[in-house]
Amino acid sequence: GAAAVVVLTAVLLVQCLLFADGGLLALGANVLNMAILAPLAGLLGLQLGKRLFAGHRGLLVGAAFGGWLGVVVAAAACAVELALSGAASLRVALPAMVGVHVVIGAGEGLITALVLAALLRARPDLVGGEGGTPAPARPRLWAGVALVGLTLCLAPFASSLPDGLEHVAGALGLVAGTAAPAPLPDYEAPFLGSAVAGTLFAGAAGALVVLLLSWWLARALVPARRER
């Protein structure tokens, strides 16, 4: 749970400052919703799955349900915040946000379970306490490098459709604020002169920055273990 909070906070910081996605004024709410409430809800779903089913089956069911629940809880929190800000009434914002993210959460939960299943099959040592002993630092670093490579492969397939919040905001007639300047706005690199190359560059840069920022935060927040 704590690791998820650190990593997701790093992701949100990179999205805001590097890609102009989210905005500085909304950063606090985004961290609360997606880096704190969502992981806590996901952990709750994971524990429930492990109680209902034994072994890897419980782990996968819990991961899928936790992934879904985290998205829905974050969406509900956002609806409450919209209502408190006076942007929309709760009886309108809550069903709109939750309704869309129930579907999005199903996809998130499925992806979470599939990734975890692949890890349990190929590298169970990376799933500390479940599939084996915790992995040493160097394999975990290489796992992060592999994530950057995977991002390069998947970046060209990124969707240009609005996300759940943007869809609901459009339906409710909410106007987005002006984003602050960023090096790679909208996950593109205009200076490369190619949309595909720009998306690849932005995806790799974002994944690398998140990896380095998460590593630095982990080193700063977790005391180093002394060798006995």
Side-chain angles (χ1 to χ4, degrees), residues 107-147:
E108 295 277 1
L110 178 60
I111 292 171
T112 301
L114 290 175
V115 171
L116 182 57
L119 280 175
L120 288 171
R121 185 177 181 85
R123 289 295 306 274
D125 56 302
L126 293 177
V127 187
E130 298 293 345
T133 57
R138 188 172 297 276
R140 284 180 177 172
L141 179 60
W142 281 112
V145 174
L147 175 63

Side-chain angles (χ1 to χ4, degrees), residues 15 39 46-47 58 82 87 136 138 145 154 160 192-193 199 206 225:
Q15 283 184 317
L46 176 63
Q47 295 301 324
L82 289 173
R138 188 172 297 276
V145 174
L154 297 179
S160 59
L192 292 180
T199 302
R225 295 180 179 177

Side-chain angles (χ1 to χ4, degrees), residues 16-17 19-21 23-24 177-183 185:
C16 174
L17 300 177
F19 301 120
D21 185 4
L24 285 172
T178 303

Side-chain angles (χ1 to χ4, degrees), residues 11-29:
V11 169
L12 291 169
L13 281 170
V14 171
Q15 283 184 317
C16 174
L17 300 177
L18 188 62
F19 301 120
D21 185 4
L24 285 172
L25 295 180
L27 184 59

Side-chain angles (χ1 to χ4, degrees), residues 157-184:
F157 302 98
S159 174
S160 59
L161 297 175
D163 61 22
L165 178 58
E166 291 173 338
H167 173 78
V168 172
L172 298 180
L174 302 178
V175 179
T178 303
L184 302 172

Side-chain angles (χ1 to χ4, degrees), residues 196-227:
V196 174
T199 302
L200 286 171
F201 180 85
L208 182 59
V209 172
V210 167
L211 173 64
L212 295 175
L213 181 57
S214 300
W215 174 82
W216 177 80
L217 286 172
R219 290 291 298 269
L221 297 175
V222 179
R225 295 180 179 177
R226 295 181 179 179
E227 297 292 337

